[in-house]
Amino acid sequence: MGDITVDTVDDPIIEEEDDVIVGITSTAICGSDLHIYDGFIPQLRDMVLGHEFMGVVEDVGRGVTRLRKGDRVVVPFTIACGHCFYCSQGFHANCAHSNPKNYGPRGNLLDNKGGGLFGYTDLYGGYNGGQAQYVRVPKANVGPKIIPAGLSDDQVLFLTDIFPTGWSAVKWGKVKPGDSVVIFGSGPVGLMAQKAAWLHGAERVIAIDPLEYRLEKARTVNKVDTINAEDDDLMDKIYEMTNGRGADVAIDAVGMEANRSLLEKARAVLNAEKGTAKVLDLCTEAVRRSGTVAVVGVYGSPYDNFPIHRIFDKGLIMQFGQAQAHLYIDQCFEMVRNGKVTLDDIITHRLPLSRASEAYDMFKNKKDDCVKVVLKPGLD
Ligand SMILES: NC(=O)c1ccc[n+]([C@@H]2O[C@H](COP(=O)([O-])OP(=O)(O)OC[C@H]3O[C@@H](n4cnc5c(N)ncnc54)[C@H](O)[C@@H]3O)[C@@H](O)[C@H]2O)c1
Ligand SMILES: [Zn+2]
Ligand SMILES: [Zn+2]
């Protein structure tokens, strides 16, 4: 926890017939990596982090039919078999075959988790991630998507996670033409949700964040309305912008590490909660009656005082979870290929992989107006 170093480790090798080894050309740091960095999601042994990566196939297992050495691929962050009960319905993040040690139906704190994720602790399969020069990609007949030469790494890298995540939030929110959408969090995921909301015909998109520079980014790249999260009249302003009713759809793109006062921190310690569910609470207040709340921000513990009364009174619909990256990657790719969306306008820093430790510090502590860092082994 709190200690990211750049070390030399053994190169990955083919372990299963359907593995490939990818030589990384670009990889990004995600807000989800910060939950491990900050100790909100536990990991005792050292491992290679990183679940947003792309590169070139360097080695192929005997059972791989879809890929060849030399193919350039982006790889969704969830690892999935493609044919189990869940995968066959498009719920690849719940794949029954990619997290053999810690998978289960209960969804407990420290066991019975969902499917495997790259570089995301032993709870999610213990797979090494792609913030490295090489990564082993299991179940390679299912996840990786081949990218044509005409598109740059920066244009397509976010198909691995954050664009399909923003897209999932908008799908789960059932955003339709004419809707108003309020999005809490204007970090990389919030910015992608803003883009996805416009692409689904939203009439008004409102971004909320305590950091002015991130709201500025939202206004510049996505032309959305913004309100500072610390504005005393936050809710009144949201209602004013949405006919007094609240937004048709509210999206939580913050999760448990929302900003907190000292009092809120003390309360969390007393209640044995990890972080806070305050943004979830705000979403239920900001959405209109019979509206939908979509939650892609990560939560890792139970919370006292969860506003179940409001959810009942307002008749809300809610959907949470890991994004459906496999399900939506093709749709998202088409948006990029057709020029309907630009994803790389959120990148603020491109650094060599060897500067990963500094990059984590900058992204976590919001230094140098950092929004999204891309690490490139090739720059070393
Ligand atoms: N569900 C998924 O599949 C999935 C995929 C990727 C990321 N995530 C999660 O999405 C969340 C956001 O990721 P990110 O990469 O954008 O991280 P980030 O940490 O850069 O962004 C979070 C943003 O929330 C803002 N914020 C803090 N408190 C707030 C408040 N009270 N109201 C409004 N905004 C507030 C922060 O200032 C920051 O800009 C994280 O929890 C991450 O783990 C989930
Ligand atoms: Zn992520
Ligand atoms: Zn499966």
Side-chain angles (χ1 to χ4, degrees), residues 30 32 51-52 77 161-162:
C30 177
S32 299
H51 57 269
E52 298 182 2
F77 73 104
D161 176 353
I162 55 174

Side-chain angles (χ1 to χ4, degrees), residues 357-375:
S357 177
E358 177 191 338
Y360 265 87
D361 173 54
M362 187 165 60
F363 179 56
K364 146 95 189 132
N365 296 307
K366 278 68 182 177
K367 293 180 179 166
D368 197 27
D369 288 356
C370 181
V371 175
K372 189 74 177 175
V373 191
V374 178
L375 300 168

Side-chain angles (χ1 to χ4, degrees), residues 29-35 51-52 77 120 161-162 165 172 183-191 208-211 214 229 234 252-260 278-279 282 295-299 321-324 363 366 370-372:
I29 305 177
C30 177
S32 299
D33 294 323
L34 298 181
H35 306 319
H51 57 269
E52 298 182 2
F77 73 104
Y120 217 71
D161 176 353
I162 55 174
T165 298
W172 293 348
I183 300 174
F184 288 85
S186 197
V189 172
L191 288 160
I208 319 280
D209 201 287
L211 296 173
R214 290 195 168 195
L234 173 64
D252 177 345
V254 182
M256 62 186 156
E257 293 200 61
N259 61 342
R260 288 181 295 164
K278 75 190 254 188
V279 167
L282 290 168
V295 183
V296 285
V298 169
Y299 289 95
Q322 303 286 2
Q324 289 163 319
F363 179 56
K366 278 68 182 177
C370 181
V371 175
K372 189 74 177 175

Side-chain angles (χ1 to χ4, degrees), residues 60-73:
V60 212
R62 277 189 303 140
V64 175
T65 51
R66 278 187 55 238
L67 300 172
R68 274 188 268 173
K69 197 170 172 213
D71 283 343
R72 182 165 167 253
V73 289

Side-chain angles (χ1 to χ4, degrees), residues 152-323:
S152 71
D153 275 26
D154 289 355
Q155 281 177 290
V156 294
L157 176 61
F158 302 142
L159 293 172
T160 56
D161 176 353
I162 55 174
F163 187 42
T165 298
W167 194 265
S168 297
V170 164
K171 288 286 186 204
W172 293 348
K174 302 176 183 46
V175 174
K176 55 183 190 319
D179 274 355
S180 53
V181 185
V182 61
I183 300 174
F184 288 85
S186 197
V189 172
L191 288 160
M192 291 293 149
Q194 294 160 24
K195 292 177 193 291
W198 287 136
L199 290 168
H200 283 75
E203 191 174 290
R204 180 150 219 177
V205 180
I206 308 165
I208 319 280
D209 201 287
L211 296 173
E212 264 314 315
Y213 82 87
R214 290 195 168 195
L215 294 177
E216 171 68 35
K217 189 78 173 171
R219 288 190 294 267
T220 315
V221 302
N222 291 338
K223 311 273 180 287
V224 293
D225 293 313
T226 61
I227 314 174
N228 193 295
E230 279 163 0
D231 191 318
D232 289 338
D233 302 322
L234 173 64
M235 256 336 127
D236 288 338
K237 287 193 174 159
I238 294 173
Y239 295 147
E240 259 168 43
M241 291 167 140
T242 54
N243 301 316
R245 291 194 291 261
D248 298 305
V249 179
I251 291 174
D252 177 345
V254 182
M256 62 186 156
E257 293 200 61
N259 61 342
R260 288 181 295 164
S261 65
L262 276 179
L263 187 69
E264 286 169 319
K265 285 186 179 164
R267 229 174 32 211
V269 173
L270 284 177
N271 293 341
E273 292 165 354
K274 290 191 178 172
T276 171
K278 75 190 254 188
V279 167
L280 194 49
D281 197 340
L282 290 168
C283 283
T284 63
E285 205 176 343
V287 73
R288 68 159 163 78
R289 291 179 175 280
S290 298
T292 308
V293 178
V295 183
V296 285
V298 169
Y299 289 95
S301 82
Y303 296 93
D304 281 1
N305 294 314
F306 184 71
I308 200 151
H309 64 294
R310 186 181 289 132
I311 298 166
F312 184 88
D313 182 71
K314 294 176 68 166
L316 302 183
I317 303 158
M318 302 183 84
Q319 186 162 354
F320 294 60
Q322 303 286 2

